[in-house]
């Protein structure tokens, strides 16, 4: 999996319209500025196209699957068409199921609940907690962070070769790191898994919004992603892939919609026959608007063309990397090296700065929203920073003296809706803060650094 880094001019790759693009926020130093949303890795703003589609459907909202009325039939068709749209977006194979969930976390917990007995799970310590933690009821082998794509494949192959070859096994791997943005060798890892009789699930939360994902081409068994990172509103997600483990498992939730037939026994108990389709794990009234929003986002990205999306992001990555190349106090975090292919996610530390203080100053003095902390990837940050994650000092005090190790990091992330000006402002702000320091005083409140407005 590779990303082109050819030079691209901004006019060739105009940003896609997103909600909030004209929102202004106050600056603690006075005045207002258009908000620069550079925390796409946490939640991307909804595409205007998605919002318009949802608004157009909202008056026709009706119950799904169990209503005879016109609006119910319309909503049911829309919900099932959304499933087909997502399957096409992911290039699913014949027989694959698309299950609508709440998020990537929900999707991976669903799969964890469907694991066969005595399944062994292999996962790198580099995973987001959403793909690191759901497997605790299984036999988990946590693999060390690799320092190259090749090492990742070799590490997995050694671990799989040493396992019991007769029991079920699952490999869980990210497609793009939520910390470094680096692309992982998914196709090669899938080949290694299958060669040793294991299956593989791809956490595509950070990959699907930025890069094409083909279940068939990558040859993964399942893929999971979240709507709120794919330019759709909160509360929707997808688990797509092989049906057999899902059909054999007890429903993720027991209730209406998951059952095909329910009858009462003479002893007072209840017998139930569950659906074999995706409905088996979609009990209750489904989030039809969420599913429709995800499908709308899939269509919008497909129509925009991932070549354009990827090219624009690589242009913005270069703006950041080249713009801060002459600032020695800034150190970008990476497993595979600075030149490794990546999506629009970059994490860094600033020598002499508490990361919360730096992020607070970017927000309060420049109207720029980034993320600071450990990004729900504590083991990976421990490896990248060379220290155990821990609480930072009081706001305004450096997290580490010059030459010492940092405790937390700052993450800037962007995507298809990011204007050039937002990234250029970010680069300028980082340089000014490093050179001149913050213009305002800050204090700690509930563990967060905030502007001190008490004076």
């Amino acid at each position: 999996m590779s990303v082109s880094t050819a030079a691209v001019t901004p006019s060739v790759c105009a940003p896609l319209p997103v909600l909030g693009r004209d929102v202004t926020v106050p600056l603690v130093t006075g005045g207002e500025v258009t908000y620069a949303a550079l925390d796409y890795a946490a939640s991307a703003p909804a595409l205007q196209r998605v919002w318009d589609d949802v608004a157009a459907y909202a008056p026709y909202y009706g119950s799904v699957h169990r209503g005879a009325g016109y609006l119910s039939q319309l909503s049911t068709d829309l919900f099932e068409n959304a499933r087909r749209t997502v399957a096409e977006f992911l290039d699913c194979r014949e027989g694959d199921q698309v299950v609508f969930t709440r998020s990537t976390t929900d999707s991976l917990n669903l799969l964890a609940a469907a694991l066969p007995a005595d399944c062994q799970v292999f996962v790198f310590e580099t995973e987001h907690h959403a793909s690191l933690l759901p497997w605790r009821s299984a036999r988990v082998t946590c693999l060390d962070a690799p320092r190259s794509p090749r090492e990742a494949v070799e590490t997995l192959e050694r671990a799989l070769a040493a396992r019991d070859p007769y029991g079920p096994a699952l490999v869980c791997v990210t497609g793009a790191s939520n910390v470094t943005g680096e692309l992982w060798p998914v196709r090669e890892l899938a080949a290694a898994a299958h060669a040793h009789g294991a299956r593989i699930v791809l956490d595509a939360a950070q990959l699907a919004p930025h890069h094409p994902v083909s279940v068939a081409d990558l040859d993964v068994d399942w893929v999971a992603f979240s709507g709120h990172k794919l330019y759709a509103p909160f509360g929707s997600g997808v688990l797509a892939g092989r049906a057999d483990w899902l059909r054999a498992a007890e429903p993720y939730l027991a209730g209406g919609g998951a059952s095909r037939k329910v009858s009462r026994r003479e002893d007072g108990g209840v017998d139930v026959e569950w659906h074999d389709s995706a409905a088996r794990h979609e009990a209750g009234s489904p989030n039809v608007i969420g599913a429709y929003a995800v499908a709308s986002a899939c269509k919008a990205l497909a129509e925009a063309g991932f070549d354009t999306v990827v090219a624009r992001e690589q242009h913005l990555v270069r703006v950041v990397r080249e713009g801060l190349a002459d600032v020695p106090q800034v150190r970008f975090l990476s497993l595979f090296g600075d030149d490794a292919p990546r999506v629009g996610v970059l994490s860094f530390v600033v020598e002499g700065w508490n990361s919360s203080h730096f992020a607070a100053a970017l927000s309060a003095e420049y109207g720029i929203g980034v993320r600071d902390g450990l990004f729900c990837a504590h083991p990976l940050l421990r490896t990248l920073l060379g220290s155990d994650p821990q609480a930072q000092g009081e706001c305004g005090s450096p997290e580490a003296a010059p030459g010492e190790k940092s405790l937390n990091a700052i993450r800037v992330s962007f995507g298809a809706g990011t204007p050039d000006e937002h990234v250029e402002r970010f680069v300028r702000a980082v340089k000014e803060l490093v050179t001149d320091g913050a213009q305002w005083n800050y204090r700690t409140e509930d563990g967060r650094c905030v502007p001190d407005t008490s004076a």
Side-chain angles (χ1 to χ4, degrees):
M1 182 181 295
S2 61
V3 174
S4 171
T5 56
V8 178
T9 60
S11 60
V12 173
C13 304
L16 300 181
V18 295
L19 294 183
R21 59 189 179 276
D22 298 322
V23 168
T24 59
V25 294
L27 300 180
V28 71
T29 51
E32 292 189 344
V33 66
T34 302
Y35 183 64
L38 298 180
D39 193 16
Y40 274 50
S43 288
L47 288 170
Q48 184 67 54
R49 150 81 176 273
V50 173
W51 196 255
D52 291 344
D53 283 349
V54 168
Y57 161 66
Y60 300 93
Y61 177 88
S63 62
V64 177
H65 291 150
R66 294 177 285 281
Y70 179 82
L71 297 190
S72 292
Q73 295 295 309
L74 180 68
S75 294
T76 298
D77 288 344
L78 182 142
F79 184 71
E80 294 303 331
N81 283 333
R83 200 188 306 277
R84 286 187 283 272
T85 297
V86 171
E88 292 173 2
F89 178 76
L90 295 174
D91 190 24
C92 288
R93 299 154 300 217
E94 185 177 355
D96 282 345
Q97 285 187 352
V98 172
V99 181
F100 285 115
T101 66
R102 293 176 295 178
S103 60
T104 306
T105 302
D106 195 35
S107 295
L108 294 174
N109 275 271
L110 188 165
L111 184 60
L115 294 181
D118 202 34
C119 185
Q120 187 171 2
V121 177
F122 296 84
V123 59
F124 288 92
E125 68 171 2
T126 49
E127 294 292 308
H128 185 281
H129 293 171
S131 50
L132 184 65
L133 301 181
W135 322 105
R136 289 176 296 167
S137 61
R139 293 185 297 133
V140 178
T141 298
C142 191
L143 306 175
D144 292 340
R147 286 298 182 169
S148 71
R150 180 184 179 88
E151 184 181 335
V153 177
E154 293 174 345
T155 298
L156 179 62
E157 287 179 332
R158 286 194 299 270
L160 290 171
R163 79 176 184 92
D164 178 354
Y166 300 106
L170 177 72
V171 176
C172 179
V173 66
T174 188
S177 170
N178 76 301
V179 176
T180 67
E182 292 166 313
L183 296 175
W184 277 61
V186 177
R187 186 181 295 103
E188 292 80 1
L189 290 167
H194 293 153
H196 289 85
R199 297 189 182 187
I200 186 167
V201 57
L202 169 63
D203 174 356
Q206 298 296 339
L207 183 64
H210 307 279
H211 204 278
V213 175
S214 168
V215 171
D217 181 57
L218 295 174
D219 197 24
V220 294
D221 297 281
W222 294 277
V223 61
F225 69 86
S226 296
H228 72 99
K229 299 184 193 297
L230 194 81
Y231 310 104
F234 289 101
S236 57
V238 166
L239 176 67
R242 296 180 62 158
D244 53 350
W245 284 9
L246 299 178
R247 286 174 177 160
E250 287 292 301
Y252 186 46
L253 297 172
S259 56
R260 177 184 289 120
K261 179 181 179 181
V262 178
S263 57
R264 184 177 178 181
R265 299 195 304 265
E266 290 184 2
D267 63 2
V270 174
D271 287 326
V272 59
E273 179 183 333
W274 303 110
H275 280 296
D276 288 333
S277 66
R280 185 185 189 90
H281 297 289
E282 294 176 341
S285 295
N287 179 7
V288 59
I289 286 182
Y292 183 47
V294 168
S296 174
C298 290
K299 286 182 179 179
L301 288 172
E303 291 171 5
F306 268 108
D307 287 346
T308 297
V309 171
V310 170
R312 172 158 191 78
E313 284 193 19
Q314 293 313 299
H315 161 70
L316 296 177
V317 167
R318 284 195 302 275
V319 170
V320 173
R321 297 299 294 267
E322 294 174 5
L324 297 178
D326 60 350
V327 184
Q329 296 88 342
V330 173
R331 177 172 68 90
F332 288 100
L333 305 180
S334 176
L335 278 174
F336 301 158
D338 290 344
D339 296 330
R342 55 176 32 88
V343 298
V345 178
L346 296 161
S347 293
F348 61 98
V349 294
V350 182
E351 184 180 276
W353 277 84
N354 174 304
S355 65
S356 180
H357 186 193
F358 200 89
L362 286 173
S363 175
E365 300 178 24
Y366 296 92
I368 299 170
V370 297
R371 179 62 60 97
D372 68 278
L374 300 171
F375 320 129
C376 292
H378 295 186
L380 173 56
L381 263 295
R382 181 176 59 246
T383 294
L384 292 173
L385 297 176
S387 60
D388 287 329
Q390 54 187 291
Q392 299 189 102
E394 287 297 302
C395 179
S397 66
E399 63 173 336
E404 293 182 349
K405 294 176 180 177
S406 301
L407 306 179
N408 287 335
I410 305 157
R411 182 181 70 193
V412 58
S413 52
F414 36 80
T418 305
D420 287 63
E421 188 277 328
H422 290 184
V423 173
E424 292 164 357
R425 192 197 317 170
F426 166 78
V427 171
R428 184 174 67 254
V430 170
K431 289 183 173 180
E432 290 179 1
L433 287 172
V434 169
T435 302
D436 304 325
Q439 301 177 55
W440 203 263
N441 292 324
Y442 294 80
R443 59 185 173 84
T444 300
E445 181 178 293
D446 296 328
R448 295 291 306 169
C449 191
V450 297
D452 188 349
T453 57
S454 59

